[in-house]
Amino acid sequence: MTKRGIRVLDTTLRDGEQTPGVALAPEQKLEIARALDEFGVDVIEAGAAITSEGERRAMKLIADAGLRAEICSFTRALPVDIDAALACGVDSVHLVVPVSDIHIQHKLRKTREQVKEMALGAVRYALDHGLVVELSAEDATRADPAFMKELFLAGLKEGAQRLCVCDTVGVATPERMRELFMDLVKDIKAQIAVHCHDDFGMATTNTVAAVQAGAQEIHVTVNGLGERAGNAALEEVVLALMHLYGFQTNIKLEKMYGVSRLVERHTGMPVPLTKAIVGENAFSHEAGIHTHGVLAYPPTYEPISPEVVGHHRRLIFGKHVGTHAIESELKRIGLEPTKGQVQEIFEQIKRLGDRGKQVTDTEWRAIVDAVMGRTLEEIVKLDELTVISGSRVTPTASVRLKFGEKKVTESGLGVGPVDAAMNAIRKVVEGMSNIRLQEYHVDAISGGTDALVDVVVKLTDGKRIVTARGTSGDIIMASVQAMLNGVNRLLWDRKLGGA
Ligand code: KIV
Ligand code: ZN
């Protein structure tokens, strides 16, 4: 049964940007806002205008971009914050008022009455200046519900259009949320939003419970970014609401993976591999039984098909692989292995896995090539690499790579010599092909300053992703080797026509 429509307020650019270590430049914020708009979010909380000059520049850019979504600024209940929001030309304010005694006494050092007066004054001020007001109760789940309701009713009387309940420190439970919302919607006819944090890993579940009990708008962030353990993740909440509970939203689900990657790239916050819906492993299968099932009929081990959210299926040829998966993957790439070759590949992968090693894509393909008597052509070769580092110089690298007969030279700076070398190589590779480095991991295999170093990289050309390894006593050479192994794999596969 299709249930009512739920509005989505995305706060990636405000609460999400409050993730420790994240800061976005105005142009990055604008690019994300455009993507969110195309994605179908109803409201974009673009920032808190009072924060800085750069924040106001970003918010003005977003407000002037002619987006379909409502553009909103976070404000405290202070005219100075509202003036800053007005100067950016936003449509609305998310006007936040602490309602718990913990916040009122220890943060604001005020009384409930004083807070209420401030809130109503700010609502009036914002409305008088033509803004839409969403009056938000901060730390609502640790507050006296009677005081919150009193404040909400007074705010609505003053003219506020919408309300919001914040589980600021993530202590709500689904039962508590249901109780809170059922009590509110009994007496309040205006739209009420829910804003949850993930301190106990309950943000999605609490948001869904609030919606079931009557919340009409959800506050979410892409990839669940946000203060401390983050906010309710847009992808989890929206998918659960739409696919498990039958609610509707304006979100274009097929854009989900792309938006997630854009936010990951701009914020520098890697999406965990196992993250629901958008994690790289969300539609990856390794175990023999699973790959067999998925190859026969995808719903056996996929609750939704990856294309629904713009993601892709991956079969991983690691320790848990089965012969079925090996055989069908080899057929998919145009090879006709004998039973004996499949068995040999199977055993070699198991042996590698049993040594406690992740079997990278380049290793799996190297095993296939060796067993099937194929040789990988080294399309890109390292011709020369020089790295300069020290206490008084910015680490600098210059690299010359050979693409067939062509030699290409580039230089790069970095925070350290490895970073400089990788930046130089990235410039050549990105200039010559559209291959990008997505992830980089390093491990010391043995102890001591002469330890063997194992580098695993993940590269993509937009269509495919490969993992590749480099091992050496020299971390720079291990990194370069891993990078070139992966690039050669992708280029070789491309030459073979998608193999
Ligand atoms: O979590 C929260 O309470 C907030 C408010 C400041 C709205 O982000
Ligand atoms: Zn928050």
Side-chain angles (χ1 to χ4, degrees):
M1 186 185 61
T2 302
K3 297 189 191 149
R4 62 198 155 86
I6 302 300
R7 277 162 55 92
V8 175
L9 179 148
D10 181 279
T11 181
T12 307
L13 297 177
R14 199 277 298 173
D15 225 339
E17 203 197 9
Q18 287 173 219
T19 306
V22 173
L24 295 163
E27 293 68 26
Q28 291 177 312
K29 281 200 154 199
L30 178 62
E31 193 182 339
I32 293 175
R34 283 193 200 282
L36 290 171
D37 192 52
E38 283 168 20
F39 191 24
V41 310
D42 300 283
V43 186
I44 298 174
E45 189 174 27
I50 196 70
T51 305
S52 69
E53 197 43 54
E55 183 83 333
R56 286 186 285 283
R57 199 158 75 75
M59 293 178 71
K60 263 191 220 139
L61 282 176
I62 295 170
D64 291 345
L67 304 183
R68 178 203 44 82
E70 174 185 311
I71 308 303
C72 177
S73 172
F74 165 98
T75 69
R76 293 167 296 177
L78 296 172
V80 62
D81 280 26
I82 297 167
D83 286 340
L86 281 166
C88 298
V90 297
D91 305 304
S92 61
V93 283
H94 176 206
L95 199 157
V96 178
V97 181
V99 290
S100 70
D101 289 331
I102 301 178
H103 277 229
I104 291 174
Q105 287 167 16
H106 298 280
K107 187 173 81 175
L108 299 183
R109 297 189 184 282
K110 292 196 186 303
T111 63
R112 289 185 183 184
E113 265 321 298
Q114 286 170 321
V115 165
K116 190 170 148 193
E117 212 173 292
M118 264 177 76
L120 298 183
V123 169
R124 210 170 308 128
Y125 187 78
L127 290 170
D128 284 349
H129 288 82
L131 292 163
V132 169
V133 175
E134 179 162 320
L135 176 61
S136 198
E138 186 181 13
D139 205 19
T141 48
R142 293 191 297 179
D144 171 3
F147 174 61
M148 175 169 66
K149 200 194 274 184
E150 180 187 322
L151 179 83
F152 277 170
L153 288 169
L156 289 173
K157 202 159 162 210
E158 204 62 54
Q161 290 91 341
R162 311 195 294 253
L163 305 169
C164 176
V165 173
C166 298
D167 183 25
T168 301
V169 291
V171 290
T173 59
E175 295 75 21
R176 175 97 185 85
M177 269 298 182
R178 255 181 237 118
E179 188 186 12
L180 208 57
F181 269 84
M182 275 159 69
D183 181 57
L184 287 172
V185 297
K186 180 162 59 67
D187 298 321
I188 294 176
K189 294 299 156 241
Q191 179 191 297
I192 313 178
V194 60
H195 177 114
C196 293
H197 280 266
D198 208 28
D199 299 68
F200 285 81
M202 304 283 279
T204 296
T205 237
N206 287 336
T207 305
V208 170
V211 169
Q212 285 181 297
Q216 291 129 307
E217 181 183 274
I218 51 170
H219 284 203
V220 284
T221 58
V222 175
N223 300 337
L225 292 178
E227 289 276 1
R228 306 180 310 283
N231 287 59
L234 182 150
E235 51 282 355
E236 291 178 12
V237 176
V238 167
L239 250 291
L241 287 178
M242 293 178 75
H243 272 257
L244 302 179
Y245 291 90
F247 288 96
Q248 293 181 315
T249 73
N250 291 323
I251 294 295
K252 298 191 180 78
L253 294 181
E254 70 282 4
K255 293 190 180 290
M256 197 163 262
Y257 178 73
V259 171
S260 162
R261 295 299 126 165
L262 176 72
V263 169
E264 177 185 51
R265 188 149 45 85
H266 281 326
T267 58
M269 294 298 290
V271 176
L273 292 177
T274 50
K275 181 92 174 62
I277 320 294
V278 290
E280 211 43 61
N281 286 1
F283 299 95
S284 295
H285 311 275
E286 176 174 322
I289 298 170
H290 285 227
T291 41
H292 188 179
V294 165
L295 286 166
Y297 183 54
T300 49
Y301 288 103
E302 284 177 354
I304 54 166
S305 98
E307 296 78 34
V308 170
V309 289
H311 207 326
H312 46 267
R313 177 176 306 127
R314 284 186 81 208
L315 300 185
I316 308 294
F317 299 92
K319 180 181 168 183
H320 305 96
V321 75
T323 49
H324 231 92
I326 293 175
E327 195 173 349
S328 75
E329 176 61 8
L330 294 185
K331 287 202 167 133
R332 191 190 68 77
I333 62 175
L335 301 177
E336 284 296 336
T338 62
K339 286 262 172 283
Q341 284 172 325
V342 170
Q343 190 58 31
E344 176 58 26
I345 293 168
F346 175 81
E347 282 166 17
Q348 287 202 30
I349 291 176
K350 296 273 165 182
R351 277 202 292 276
L352 206 57
D354 281 344
R355 294 203 333 247
K357 290 259 165 246
Q358 174 198 350
V359 183
T360 64
D361 296 317
T362 52
E363 285 157 341
W364 134 253
R365 292 298 299 275
I367 292 172
V368 170
D369 288 344
V371 172
M372 306 269 316
R374 296 164 16 125
T375 20
L376 170 78
E377 190 186 314
E378 255 191 298
I379 298 173
V380 188
K381 286 191 189 123
L382 179 66
D383 198 38
E384 199 178 296
L385 173 69
T386 312
V387 182
I388 301 165
S389 182
S391 60
R392 287 171 179 269
V393 288
T394 304
T396 311
S398 98
V399 67
R400 191 164 61 227
L401 297 185
K402 274 170 77 179
F403 277 76
E405 290 309 302
K406 196 167 173 186
K407 292 187 178 180
V408 189
T409 307
E410 266 297 357
S411 59
L413 302 176
V415 292
V418 175
D419 193 36
M422 293 299 267
N423 283 338
I425 290 185
R426 265 153 78 158
K427 278 199 213 164
V428 183
V429 168
E430 285 178 13
M432 296 295 292
S433 58
N434 60 347
I435 295 171
R436 274 191 307 107
L437 176 69
Q438 271 195 338
E439 275 174 37
Y440 173 94
H441 298 283
V442 60
D443 270 322
I445 297 176
S446 49
T449 51
D450 60 350
L452 264 188
V453 173
D454 195 33
V455 171
V456 174
V457 294
K458 186 185 278 182
L459 300 167
T460 181
D461 64 358
K463 284 201 200 112
R464 281 153 313 164
I465 295 175
V466 295
T467 46
R469 187 191 310 276
T471 307
S472 166
D474 175 340
I475 185 170
I476 297 173
M477 288 317 293
S479 308
V480 170
Q481 215 182 68
M483 186 84 178
L484 294 184
N485 284 343
V487 169
N488 273 314
R489 185 78 257 170
L490 279 170
L491 292 178
W492 177 235
D493 284 353
R494 197 185 286 170
K495 199 169 162 184
L496 291 182

